[in-house]
């Protein structure tokens, strides 16, 4: 365990940063010398220098040779889309992929970082039996090539399931993919070009931001919750000068915010984007985990084939099986062909095994149990966060799923919290991952998918204690 | 069933051709008389003459009146590279993807079009048992996320197997992909950019051509067999003016030609491309099916990490499971990150089930059986093609695998043959798919992976009859 002293420079940097933000030190002003700073705060010169270096890393201050440390111009709040685009284009592309590594689970870590439920919340017995039986009975599935668009039986089951979202889909409207991330990447490649702007929610799942950057496209984060009106008017303005290749929205139970759009808002979104000629990529990964009611998909309002609905069974049924899918509307042929060209198709055995499980009807029962469990764990975590995290902490009010989006006071930087928590073998998802710029540097995402047993309660308390030290 | 005698001349021709390729007989040298040849190999004069005629048809030797048979100069590459590039840039990108559809198997078709063995040549019982047992015993595999680079156990098994190709790989050198096609696409994205030239073999597997076109790159077909010297000098010339993003070669048992490079040629290829700064993507999909010996991979000569070795178990073990892999040398980190960004990873259950099968050692026994079967079926098909197809037809001399590359007389266009054969419920792979231009319009690829039972013999005879009508 690191001693408290090791955090002195971090908390000193946080204090000074807060002072700068409150305007106690203005842009261009010279800061106290290292020696003065140490004396004022009762810390060593080494600690004072470490605090300045940390602030320098964050570009809050700069060192001028032989002169000392000076306050940098502050990044100002983001407003005009031109500014957003400029910043998006300059964004450090390495951040989201780095995020993927950050969030890997390793044995021994208490994970609030990933977006995965506790394993025992999944129906592994029934599902394992279905797959083993399929492997035993249908040896042909080992040798039959499953060309894109994928297994008829699985697409039939998914089409049936999508009817609960008011979507009337036939198996031929669907393509099976290697998880929702692949589905999203295929959609982007089918409808957009490198250099295009891709409108995303703010905050957005970092995996999507990463895919956008990889494809040479530029993420433009806009806010769609609770009402997409302002985002739509921004898109209208932007499309006058720039090509907007697509708009990605997780319309129900968004990751990380947990928010859902109203059906009216969904309809407005579909109609407006259709008029603007901007394809809507709808992500429904967590949709089935809405606490109150089965959610209607925006896709259900699609009359022109402009909506590409992506989802998966990764978050709701079996994280290990990589079953994703997309109903691509008028882009379906392009998607099927693209998948075929880039990787032929998905393994048939798994598709058939999962279809076999879905046919039993056990999935709906499982979802009901999972939703209840998620709701209870999210509410419990939210309560603890509000009680134990530093004063001023706010939490999202998720409509479903098992993720909690937490806004910390302005003095707490999520990457600091991430690094310090990791030293205590606790992971969180720092907010910086969820936008192409640093607007969420004071946010974290907490995974509430794990049972709040002694270990997790203790870890949450320690996390809160670190945050309080930083505040 | 044809008698064994009918094939004596085919195997004799194969022996002599191999001797020529190994350099035992040099270009322009006089070969033994028919009588001498018969005595040496214990066959009749008729059989010896038939062997020479076969080799003559394939333009390996030529008859000089009153003098005997002489070794021909080996085939040289086509035209100037400027012309090739121009043609490549104008190539109809729609052709290769269309090819994928053309070759789809449907029930009721007799398929010589796909590149898949008969299903009963795969060890489906043992493999199915391994996967069913894994699904039964390790329920966690349904819920554990398999991030790229993939299962440790499978990468360990593949690293061991690669040692039979003289490659010293550690599990960490490997990334598991969704088949070899995805591995190839990831390699291209890791090392090349849209607009780059990608040197490919001529003829090349149409799937690779399709991936290149999708990524906005330009395929430049050059001839690498039996000697890459001329291709390498073309690449040297081209790199002076254009960026060559990568060079793709199936060094052992190429698709569709069935040819393999000598170890000396492999080494020269690796060294030259390293000097030129052009990454070598080595495809070893069919390498394990070489008839004579386990093949050394070009990768085994790689000292700088410039070789990206791709392969799969799709053609040799289980077409349905989509297990591919790549050892990306110094590009490995980029590949792992790219796979993670674009689709997270492959399903763990299948990886572990296959690793479990590979650990039993059954794969090597299976390969020995499969090779023998393939060789017999390829030789039998080659003999029948030479006997029944129109005069002037030539066939490749595959060093392994189950594909036969057939050159028809100049009057027979492969797309015509394809369309007419399809009317009789027979599929072939038209040569036009195997280059970005029309240089192989008189070629077809025949799949010899199916047992030559009555149905297939009859279909082959009908195919030959159609070709004769077109000639």
């Amino acid at each position: 365990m690191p001693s408290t002293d090791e955090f002195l420079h971090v908390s000193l940097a946080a204090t000074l940063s807060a002072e700068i933000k409150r305007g106690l030190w203005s842009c261009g002003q010279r800061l106290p010398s290292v020696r003065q700073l140490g004396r004022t705060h009762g810390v060593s010169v080494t600690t004072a220098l470490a605090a300045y270096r940390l602030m320098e890393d964050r570009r809050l201050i700069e060192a001028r040779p032989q002169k000392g440390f000076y306050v940098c111009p502050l990044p100002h709040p983001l407003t005009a889309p031109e500014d957003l685009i400029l910043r998006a284009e300059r964004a450090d592309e390495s951040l989201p992929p780095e995020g993927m590594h950050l969030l890997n689970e390793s044995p021994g870590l208490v994970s609030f970082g990933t977006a995965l439920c506790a394993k025992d919340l999944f129906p592994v017995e029934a599902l394992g039996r279905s797959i083993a039986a399929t492997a035993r009975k249908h040896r042909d599935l080992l040798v039959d090539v499953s060309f894109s668009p994928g297994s008829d039986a699985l697409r039939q089951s998914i089409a049936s399931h999508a009817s609960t979202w008011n979507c009337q889909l036939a198996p031929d409207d669907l393509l099976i993919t290697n998880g929702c991330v692949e589905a999203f990447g295929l959609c982007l490649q089918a409808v957009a070009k490198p250099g295009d702007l891709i409108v995303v929610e703010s905050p957005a799942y970092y995996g999507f931001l990463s895919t956008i950057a990889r494809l040479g496209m530029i993420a433009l984060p806009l806010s769609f919750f609770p009402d997409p009106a302002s985002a739509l008017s921004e898109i209208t303005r932007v499309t006058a000068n720039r090509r907007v290749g697509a708009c990605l929205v997780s319309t129900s139970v968004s990751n990380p915010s947990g928010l859902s759009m109203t059906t009216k808002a969904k309809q407005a979104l579909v109609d407006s984007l259709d008029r603007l000629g901007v394809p809507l990529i709808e992500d429904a990964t967590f949709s089935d985990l809405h606490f109150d009611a089965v959610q209607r998909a925006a896709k259900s309002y699609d009359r022109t084939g402009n909506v590409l609905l992506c989802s998966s069974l990764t978050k709701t049924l079996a994280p290990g099986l990589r079953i994703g899918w997309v109903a691509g509307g008028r882009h379906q042929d392009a998607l099927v062909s693209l998948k075929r060209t880039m990787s032929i198709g998905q393994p048939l055995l798994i598709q058939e095994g999962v279809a076999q499980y879905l046919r039993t009807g056990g999935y709906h029962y499982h979802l009901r149990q999972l939703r209840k469990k998620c709701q209870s764990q999210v509410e419990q975590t939210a309560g603890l966060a509000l009680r134990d995290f530093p004063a001023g902490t706010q939490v999202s009010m998720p409509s479903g799923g098992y993720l909690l989006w937490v806004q910390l006071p302005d003095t707490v930087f999520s990457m600091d919290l991430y690094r310090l928590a990791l030293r205590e073998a606790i992971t969180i998802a720092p907010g910086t991952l969820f936008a192409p710029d640093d607007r969420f540097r004071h946010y974290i995402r907490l995974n509430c998918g794990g049972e709040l047993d002694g270990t997790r309660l203790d870890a949450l308390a320690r996390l809160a204690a670190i945050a309080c030290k930083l505040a």
Side-chain angles (χ1 to χ4, degrees), chain A:
Chain A
M1 288 286 291
S3 76
T4 313
D5 282 0
E6 286 189 45
F7 303 120
L8 271 181
H9 72 286
V10 178
S11 63
L12 177 54
T15 305
L16 290 173
S17 303
E19 288 180 5
I20 291 172
K21 273 172 202 155
R22 285 207 306 277
L24 296 187
W25 305 94
S26 55
C27 167
Q29 192 177 350
R30 183 165 180 272
L31 290 159
S33 72
V34 170
R35 198 173 303 270
Q36 284 174 316
L37 184 70
R39 265 202 305 273
T40 311
H41 291 268
V43 299
S44 68
V45 169
T46 320
T47 300
L49 182 61
Y52 276 160
R53 290 290 175 214
L54 188 54
M55 294 170 72
E56 201 187 354
D57 286 347
R58 290 176 194 157
R59 298 194 190 155
L60 286 168
I61 63 172
E62 60 184 3
R64 296 186 193 163
Q66 317 297 336
K67 289 188 175 171
F69 290 90
Y70 289 76
V71 179
C72 287
L74 267 184
H76 48 78
L78 302 164
T79 43
E82 290 70 24
D83 184 41
L84 286 176
I85 292 166
L86 199 66
R87 295 187 65 138
E89 284 175 338
R90 286 182 191 160
D92 179 8
E93 289 185 7
S94 72
L95 195 56
E98 184 202 358
M100 303 291 285
H101 295 275
L102 290 184
L103 303 182
N104 268 353
E105 284 191 273
S106 304
L109 290 181
V110 184
S111 172
F112 293 95
T114 59
L116 292 168
C117 262
K119 293 173 186 175
D120 57 9
L121 296 181
F122 294 109
V124 288
E125 282 308 316
L127 193 55
R129 270 197 307 275
S130 287
I131 292 175
T134 305
R136 236 178 10 249
K137 282 187 217 153
H138 304 287
R139 296 287 199 240
D140 270 5
L141 299 176
L142 301 171
V143 287
D144 280 335
V145 178
S146 165
F147 287 101
S148 159
S151 146
D152 292 340
L154 181 59
R155 290 185 297 137
Q156 180 63 62
S157 291
I158 290 173
S160 299
H161 184 73
S163 71
T164 65
W165 307 345
N166 281 55
C167 290
Q168 305 310 317
L169 298 174
D172 280 350
D173 298 325
L174 291 164
L175 164 66
I176 306 299
T177 61
N178 193 34
C180 186
V181 166
E182 186 183 75
F184 173 63
L186 293 171
C187 288
L188 282 184
Q189 291 171 79
V191 304
K193 292 187 309 227
D196 279 0
L197 291 179
I198 307 299
V199 172
V200 295
E201 296 160 60
S202 173
Y205 165 51
Y206 55 80
F208 292 146
L209 295 176
S210 193
T211 306
I212 291 168
R214 280 283 188 188
L215 294 172
M217 300 167 190
I218 298 151
L220 175 60
L222 296 173
S223 182
F224 286 83
F225 297 97
D227 188 313
S230 65
L232 285 167
S233 75
E234 293 297 332
I235 297 172
T236 308
R237 253 167 54 82
V238 172
T239 46
N241 304 311
R242 285 285 300 248
R243 205 179 113 93
V244 175
C247 174
L248 166 71
V249 187
S250 306
T251 55
S252 301
V253 191
S254 189
N255 170 4
S257 74
L259 299 175
S260 298
M261 293 170 87
T262 62
T263 52
K264 205 176 140 197
K266 286 172 187 168
Q267 185 163 17
L269 182 67
V270 170
D271 292 347
S272 300
L273 290 177
D274 191 36
R275 267 197 308 278
L276 288 168
V278 174
L280 171 60
I281 305 177
E282 180 179 25
D283 162 45
T285 301
F286 284 93
S287 180
D288 276 334
L289 297 182
H290 196 282
F291 298 145
D292 299 331
V294 173
Q295 290 295 294
R296 180 164 189 156
K299 175 78 181 168
S300 69
Y301 296 106
D302 182 23
R303 301 282 164 263
T304 62
N306 192 48
V307 181
L308 303 94
L309 172 63
C310 302
S311 194
S312 82
L313 299 173
T314 300
K315 302 300 186 185
T316 54
L317 181 63
L321 297 184
R322 310 285 318 130
I323 300 274
W325 55 270
V326 50
R330 65 168 179 262
H331 305 284
Q332 190 64 12
D333 289 348
L335 290 172
V336 170
S337 166
L338 191 56
K339 170 71 181 166
R340 208 175 278 210
T341 302
M342 298 311 287
S343 67
I344 314 287
Q346 289 300 107
L348 202 52
L349 171 64
I350 291 214
Q351 295 181 62
E352 294 287 331
V354 170
Q356 169 64 28
Y357 167 81
L358 292 175
R359 271 198 300 271
T360 64
Y363 185 50
H364 290 280
Y365 173 79
H366 156 67
L367 282 178
R368 279 195 299 277
Q369 304 302 308
L370 186 57
R371 276 182 209 122
K372 265 190 243 168
K373 193 80 183 169
C374 289
Q375 182 162 20
S376 139
Q377 289 174 183
V378 164
E379 288 174 357
Q380 201 182 342
T381 309
L384 292 171
L386 288 173
R387 190 190 72 186
D388 296 340
F389 274 63
T393 295
Q394 296 173 54
V395 300
S396 62
M397 196 77 87
S399 61
Y402 39 82
L403 301 172
L404 191 67
W405 185 232
V406 180
Q407 183 179 5
L408 301 163
D410 277 3
T411 48
V412 185
F413 288 80
S414 63
M415 279 305 294
D416 294 339
L417 185 55
Y418 167 77
R419 290 193 193 101
L420 293 172
L422 196 59
R423 291 204 208 161
E424 302 201 19
I426 301 166
T427 67
I428 57 168
T432 35
L433 299 177
F434 297 87
D437 55 29
D438 58 358
R439 69 181 70 183
F440 296 116
R441 60 189 179 281
H442 304 299
Y443 288 71
I444 58 171
R445 188 191 69 185
L446 292 180
N447 178 9
C448 315
E451 178 88 46
L452 279 170
D453 55 10
T455 307
R456 288 182 76 80
L457 283 172
D458 171 63
L460 199 58
R462 281 187 291 145
L463 191 62
I466 302 169
C468 287
K469 269 187 213 158
L470 290 172

